[in-house]
């Protein structure tokens, strides 16, 4: 992993020298190397829309940088020691595709497991997620205050800390800020920070490969500070809940700090064992609410300063007005305006430019969106044809895409169920209801399905711009 990261950071250097700063910041810097298979570097990007943009505009540049690096390392003995990779091709896949990719390719699974092991022994925190970069306001002050107290003195103030709030409101940021702070102040403390889904996957892997179970248990029980992100994903997973329960007790009894985040409070996490719920409730529960306008402006200003974006306050206010909940989305709009302003070579200091940059972006204009757009997007995403998705066949490859398409249509459009049925080969409206409810249920229990839908909706938003 170390080598792969080193290798990729070398490629990044070459790329940053050959392209504009904003393209590099927006599209390239967010890529994460997964592994190398057959001389091909597999890179992860967060969403389907960024995958499409990178494939269209930047993949050739990445390939050129790889080829350049490869030529250099053949001629330079020093480089041979650092990286013995012969890589000339690259493929960009999304977070969601990654899991399927790993499942399909055993070789990749092996590489990914090795990579994971390295990372886990030493939690990796996003360097930008610090207390300094976090705007404290009424909407988040309890969580921020508790986080700071814990960072100063883990295990003795608020334990466990349970932070909950909507998507993109700063839960992961706060958790990593605690990690970054403790890491700098007291590097001897062992911090284990894990997304709950990953915890589940590791547990499953360790059970499959029974000699690792002890290793799994020890890794978590040796922690001085355990951070579990997005703990709502424990819902309905009895085996994982059991493992969390025992880990929790062990750590708690030994005075170790536990921090959890979730998109809902403990009482609203369904299918959660009572003994676990009561553990979660036993410490401090801090919620994060959507920020008010002034806070949104302050966050955008901080972000602009941090990224050295040159953006006028009038544009900042404009963006802060457009989005009122998800901060990640709001930051996305800021990057988009800066990206656009660089592209057209005009300063980001007026609303005409901001409007052009964000034209149709914030929300897919419902009136311009049709069921055909959604069907198209699903066909592209799942790589099947329109006649397959609307057809009669009931094989696995087409049933899920069909149900997802139906779900998204019911979610994004207000079409009568009968008309939806007609689009799908004259199906009955009860079939439409069945498909819709099936996916709605699945979203609650299976994060992958949820991620697929977000991916497809982002893609729809992108193509409808
Ligand atoms: P969550 O985990 O709640 O979904 P994140 O922690 O990933 O959200 O935050 C989403 C983005 O918003 C991150 O880039 C984060 O830095 C930023 N953010 C959220 N809240 C704040 C805040 N109060 N100050 C500065 N940045 C924030
Ligand atoms: Mg998060």
């Amino acid at each position: 992993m170390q080598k792969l990261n080193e290798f990729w950071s070398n490629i990044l250097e070459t790329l940053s020298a050959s392209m504009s700063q904003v393209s590099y910041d927006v599209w390239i810097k967010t890529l994460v190397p997964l592994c190398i298979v057959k001389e091909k570097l597999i890179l992860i990007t967060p969403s389907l829309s960024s995958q499409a943009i990178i494939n269209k505009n930047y993949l050739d540049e990445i390939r050129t940088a790889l080829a350049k690096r490869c030529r250099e390392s053949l001629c330079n003995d020093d480089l041979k020691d650092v990286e013995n990779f012969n890589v000339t091709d690259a493929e960009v896949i999304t977070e969601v595709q990654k899991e399927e990719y790993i499942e399909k390719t055993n070789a990749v699974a092996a590489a990914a497991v090795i990579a994971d092991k390295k990372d886990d022994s030493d939690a990796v925190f996003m360097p930008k997620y610090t207390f300094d970069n976090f705007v404290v306001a009424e909407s988040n002050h309890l969580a921020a205050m508790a986080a700071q107290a814990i960072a100063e003195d883990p295990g003795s103030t608020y334990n466990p800390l349970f932070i909950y709030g909507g998507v993109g409101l700063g839960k992961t940021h706060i958790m990593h800020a605690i990690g970054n702070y403790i890491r700098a102040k007291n590097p001897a403390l062992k911090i284990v920070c894990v997304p709950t889904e990953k915890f589940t996957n590791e547990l499953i892997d360790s059970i499959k490969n029974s000699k690792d179970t002890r290793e799994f248990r020890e890794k978590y029980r040796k922690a001085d500070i355990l951070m579990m992100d997005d703990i709502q994903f424990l819902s309905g997973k009895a085996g994982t809940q059991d493992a969390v329960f025992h880990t929790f007790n062990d750590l708690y009894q030994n005075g170790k700090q536990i921090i959890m985040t979730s998109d809902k409070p403990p009482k609203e996490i369904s299918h959660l064992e009572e003994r676990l719920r009561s553990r979660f409730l036993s410490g401090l529960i801090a919620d994060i609410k959507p920020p008010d306008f002034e806070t949104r402006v302050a966050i955008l200003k901080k972000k602009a300063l941090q990224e050295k974006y040159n953006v006028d306050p009038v544009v900042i206010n404009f963006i802060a007005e457009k989005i009122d909940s998800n901060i990640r989305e709001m930051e996305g709009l800021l990057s988009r305006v800066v990206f656009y302003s660089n592209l057209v070579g005009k300063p980001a200091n007026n609303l005409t430019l901001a409007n052009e940059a964000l034209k149709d972006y914030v929300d897919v204009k419902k009136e311009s969106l049709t069921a055909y757009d959604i069907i198209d997007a699903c066909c592209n995403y799942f790589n099947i044809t329109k006649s397959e998705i609307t057809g009669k066949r009931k094989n696995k490859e087409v049933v899920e895409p069909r149900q997802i398409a139906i779900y998204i249509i019911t979610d994004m459009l207000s079409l009568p169920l009968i008309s939806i049925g007609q689009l799908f080969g004259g199906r009955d409206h009860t079939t439409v209801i069945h498909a819709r409810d099936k996916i709605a249920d699945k979203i609650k229990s299976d994060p992958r399905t949820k991620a697929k839908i977000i991916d497809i909706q982002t893609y729809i938003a992108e193509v409808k711009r």
Side-chain angles (χ1 to χ4, degrees), residues 290-360:
D292 60 15
F293 177 74
E294 285 74 21
T295 311
R296 299 201 296 275
V297 168
I299 292 173
L300 283 172
K301 284 191 172 153
K302 193 154 228 166
K303 174 85 181 171
L305 203 68
Q306 186 189 315
E307 301 290 330
K308 302 193 175 60
Y309 290 160
N310 199 356
V311 187
D312 200 87
V314 65
V315 174
I316 298 240
N317 289 354
F318 173 77
I319 296 172
E321 264 164 19
K322 274 204 179 290
I323 298 239
D324 60 7
S325 54
N326 189 330
I327 297 173
R328 189 178 302 120
E329 220 170 288
M330 194 174 72
E331 291 179 345
L333 297 195
L334 179 66
S335 306
R336 194 159 277 273
V337 171
V338 175
F339 181 60
Y340 184 81
S341 104
N342 279 31
L343 198 71
V344 297
K346 293 182 194 158
N349 64 0
N350 63 78
L351 292 187
T352 315
L353 181 125
N355 260 318
E356 274 167 28
L358 302 182
K359 196 155 47 117
D360 298 339

Side-chain angles (χ1 to χ4, degrees), residues 430-446:
T430 52
T431 315
V432 174
I433 294 174
H434 171 76
R436 180 196 65 194
D437 293 352
K438 180 135 194 219
I439 298 300
D441 265 358
K442 220 165 159 192
I443 290 175
K444 289 186 201 137
S445 60
D446 174 22

Side-chain angles (χ1 to χ4, degrees), residues 103 196-210 212-213 216 237 239-240 243 448:
E103 266 169 25
T196 301
E197 286 178 280
K198 189 165 160 200
F199 183 91
T200 306
N201 292 339
E202 280 177 16
L203 178 67
I204 294 168
D205 282 346
S206 80
I207 293 167
K208 267 195 220 148
N209 180 4
S210 56
D212 271 342
T213 323
F216 171 83
K237 300 197 181 88
T240 316
R448 264 197 237 171

Side-chain angles (χ1 to χ4, degrees), residues 393-412:
R393 292 184 56 199
K394 290 189 175 155
N395 49 319
K396 212 173 110 230
E397 289 72 26
V398 299
V399 169
E400 194 199 23
R402 188 180 294 141
Q403 291 178 335
I404 287 186
I406 291 176
Y407 171 83
I408 296 179
I409 292 173
T410 57
D411 184 46
M412 296 181 87

Side-chain angles (χ1 to χ4, degrees), residues 41-332:
L41 173 65
I42 311 296
L43 297 160
I44 311 287
T45 186
S47 70
L48 198 63
S49 51
S50 57
Q51 180 190 36
I53 290 167
I54 292 165
N55 280 341
K56 187 162 163 242
N57 301 327
Y58 304 110
L59 198 56
D60 283 343
E61 290 209 46
I62 297 175
R63 288 190 178 125
T64 311
L66 287 168
K68 180 167 178 268
R69 197 73 205 169
C70 203
R71 275 197 309 277
E72 282 169 4
S73 65
L74 284 177
C75 314
N76 184 334
D77 280 343
D78 289 349
L79 284 177
K80 270 189 196 143
D81 289 341
V82 185
E83 6 145 310
N84 46 12
F85 302 124
N86 182 17
V87 190
T88 48
D89 197 8
E91 182 178 348
V92 177
I93 63 177
T94 66
E95 270 297 336
V96 181
Q97 291 163 347
K98 175 177 123 184
E99 294 187 21
E100 282 167 13
Y101 193 93
I102 289 175
E103 266 169 25
K104 271 191 217 147
T105 339
N106 277 338
V108 182
V113 171
I114 295 166
D116 280 350
K117 283 199 173 135
K118 280 264 196 253
D119 278 349
D120 292 343
S121 59
D122 205 10
V124 183
F125 299 112
M126 293 279 285
K128 283 183 194 163
Y129 288 180
T130 59
F131 286 122
D132 283 346
N133 287 337
F134 192 80
V135 175
V136 179
E138 208 183 306
S139 52
N140 59 32
H141 95 274
L142 180 61
M145 180 274 296
Q148 268 157 349
I150 287 171
E152 288 294 347
D153 197 2
S156 57
T157 46
Y158 306 103
N159 202 16
L161 172 65
F162 190 104
I163 300 176
Y164 75 90
V167 178
L169 292 185
K171 302 180 295 292
T172 301
H173 186 137
I174 290 195
M175 194 145 91
H176 283 219
I178 301 175
N180 279 319
Y181 190 93
I182 297 178
R183 178 65 51 77
K185 198 176 151 210
N186 195 348
L189 288 178
K190 183 165 170 52
I191 314 175
V192 176
C193 177
V194 66
T196 301
E197 286 178 280
K198 189 165 160 200
F199 183 91
T200 306
N201 292 339
E202 280 177 16
L203 178 67
I204 294 168
D205 282 346
S206 80
I207 293 167
K208 267 195 220 148
N209 180 4
S210 56
K211 71 179 192 313
D212 271 342
T213 323
R214 226 186 65 206
E215 201 181 310
F216 171 83
R217 265 206 327 263
E218 293 208 335
K219 173 180 147 190
Y220 287 97
R221 296 193 194 170
K222 268 190 194 155
D224 294 305
I225 295 129
L226 173 65
M227 303 177 164
M228 291 193 74
D229 208 0
D230 291 319
I231 203 135
Q232 74 273 7
F233 289 135
L234 281 183
S235 166
K237 300 197 181 88
T240 316
Q241 290 184 23
D242 194 54
V244 172
F245 179 74
H246 292 294
T247 311
F248 187 106
N249 284 350
D250 235 46
L251 292 176
Y252 187 76
Q253 277 155 18
N254 289 309
K256 309 294 188 187
Q257 179 71 50
I258 300 160
I259 303 162
M260 292 161 283
T261 74
S262 165
D263 68 356
K264 42 179 97 59
K267 66 173 186 320
E268 285 174 23
I269 302 177
S270 60
H271 307 290
L272 182 71
E273 287 179 31
E274 276 316 311
R275 56 178 185 163
L276 211 46
R277 199 188 309 274
S278 69
R279 294 293 182 289
F280 294 174
L281 286 166
S282 65
L284 180 72
I285 316 274
D287 69 331
I288 304 190
K289 296 189 192 68
D292 60 15
F293 177 74
E294 285 74 21
T295 311
R296 299 201 296 275
V297 168
I299 292 173
L300 283 172
K301 284 191 172 153
K302 193 154 228 166
K303 174 85 181 171
L305 203 68
Q306 186 189 315
E307 301 290 330
K308 302 193 175 60
Y309 290 160
N310 199 356
V311 187
D312 200 87
V314 65
V315 174
I316 298 240
N317 289 354
F318 173 77
I319 296 172
E321 264 164 19
K322 274 204 179 290
I323 298 239
D324 60 7
S325 54
N326 189 330
I327 297 173
R328 189 178 302 120
E329 220 170 288
M330 194 174 72
E331 291 179 345

